[in-house]
Amino acid sequence: MSDMDAHLLIVDDDERIRDLLKKFLMRNGFLVTAARDAAHARRVLSGLDFDMIVLDVMMPGEDGVSLTKALRETHSTPILLLTARGETEHRIAGLEAGADDYLAKPFEPKELLLRINAILRRMPEAPAQDAAAKILTLGPIRYDIERGEMWQGEDPVRLTATESQLMKIFSAKPGEPISRAKLVEDLGRDKGQAQERAVDVQITRLRRKIEQDPKQPRYLQTVRGAGYMLAPDVENILNCPV
């Protein structure tokens, strides 16, 4: 899928902002649907699939963080949160709830466009039909490298776009530590300590999905002074790409 084929859902209670975002994004080639609040967004999502959700945090009724957390129970659609400047607690809460990125208000429309395109590029591409499966085993978890899919037994494990990209990065170099700065770079984020802390939040979320005890990680390890390392079961490392 090219970025220009993407269907976006814009959720904001401010009609003026909704309309401006819709017109701007449509001019840049996106198909855009708008919702005025969380309840409206839920109704829209019950009948349509989207490639990304751009979601305001501060809304009357159910806020954007609560909606993000609820959506993550059933949807893996990338979510970009729009937050008021200085609302650090909302940004962190949003990432912990399952958002892929955030953008502080007020923002330049071009920056929003760049962030949307960056997230869409991180989405796993559909594999070729004849691609041979390469599987990493993380205890009861199986990760298909080619398809970017994770399974626990017969049940799929839903990954957000950022979690999928992290698994892609780690699975390319199993057993090798990757620094936080390198992860920020590979994720297409701006450099800086704030983004490195955001990566820490994403790692914590990913651990909840692959570790039996996320507080004592066996497979997604912290390597002191070096970063993070994926340590799959040894017998499967030989099947990984080099």
Side-chain angles (χ1 to χ4, degrees), residues 57-229:
V57 169
M58 297 300 294
M59 295 186 294
E62 184 178 13
D63 65 29
V65 173
S66 297
L67 179 58
T68 296
K69 186 174 182 180
L71 290 176
R72 279 293 168 252
E73 296 179 1
T74 55
H75 293 71
S76 58
T77 310
I79 297 175
L80 171 63
L81 290 180
L82 303 179
T83 69
R85 188 179 301 278
E87 293 177 340
T88 304
E89 70 278 8
H90 288 145
R91 294 197 292 269
I92 297 300
L95 291 171
E96 290 179 335
D100 294 276
D101 200 358
Y102 59 81
L103 181 59
K105 293 180 177 181
F107 54 82
E108 290 292 332
K110 185 175 181 180
E111 182 178 2
L112 173 65
L113 185 63
L114 290 172
R115 287 179 181 263
I116 288 173
N117 286 331
I119 292 174
L120 290 173
R121 285 195 297 271
R122 297 201 295 267
M123 291 297 291
E125 295 183 1
Q129 291 296 319
D130 57 352
K134 298 182 176 67
I135 307 296
L136 285 180
T137 302
L138 313 167
I141 299 293
R142 292 178 294 110
Y143 177 68
D144 187 321
I145 296 172
E146 297 289 346
R147 295 181 179 274
E149 295 176 350
M150 185 175 288
W151 299 80
Q152 183 168 9
E154 298 300 317
D155 299 322
V157 178
R158 291 182 178 273
L159 297 175
T160 66
T162 301
E163 291 165 353
S164 293
Q165 183 67 1
L166 283 172
M167 284 301 302
K168 181 179 179 181
I169 294 168
F170 284 124
S171 63
K173 298 180 179 179
E176 179 178 329
I178 303 175
S179 70
R180 296 159 80 207
K182 177 62 174 172
L183 289 172
V184 169
E185 178 183 345
D186 288 349
L187 287 171
R189 308 287 178 84
D190 297 330
K191 296 181 180 179
Q193 291 186 347
Q195 289 295 348
E196 291 187 11
R197 289 194 294 271
V199 165
D200 293 338
V201 173
Q202 301 286 357
I203 292 291
T204 298
R205 284 174 36 202
L206 185 54
R207 279 173 170 163
R208 292 175 187 152
K209 297 184 177 181
I210 66 177
E211 301 284 358
Q212 291 185 338
D213 184 357
K215 294 183 178 179
Q216 297 184 2
R218 157 69 180 84
Y219 296 105
L220 186 48
Q221 301 176 3
T222 299
V223 181
R224 187 179 297 275
Y228 296 105
M229 178 180 72

Side-chain angles (χ1 to χ4, degrees), residues 30-69:
F30 294 100
L31 178 62
V32 182
T33 298
R36 60 184 173 272
D37 55 26
H40 188 193
R42 287 177 181 274
R43 291 194 296 272
V44 173
L45 287 163
S46 68
L48 292 172
D49 290 326
F50 293 89
D51 299 295
M52 183 183 299
I53 302 170
V54 179
L55 175 59
D56 187 33
V57 169
M58 297 300 294
M59 295 186 294
E62 184 178 13
D63 65 29
V65 173
S66 297
L67 179 58
T68 296
K69 186 174 182 180

Side-chain angles (χ1 to χ4, degrees), residues 134-138 145 174 232-241:
K134 298 182 176 67
I135 307 296
L136 285 180
T137 302
L138 313 167
I145 296 172
D233 293 328
V234 175
E235 63 269 20
N236 286 277
I237 293 182
L238 296 177
N239 294 324
C240 296

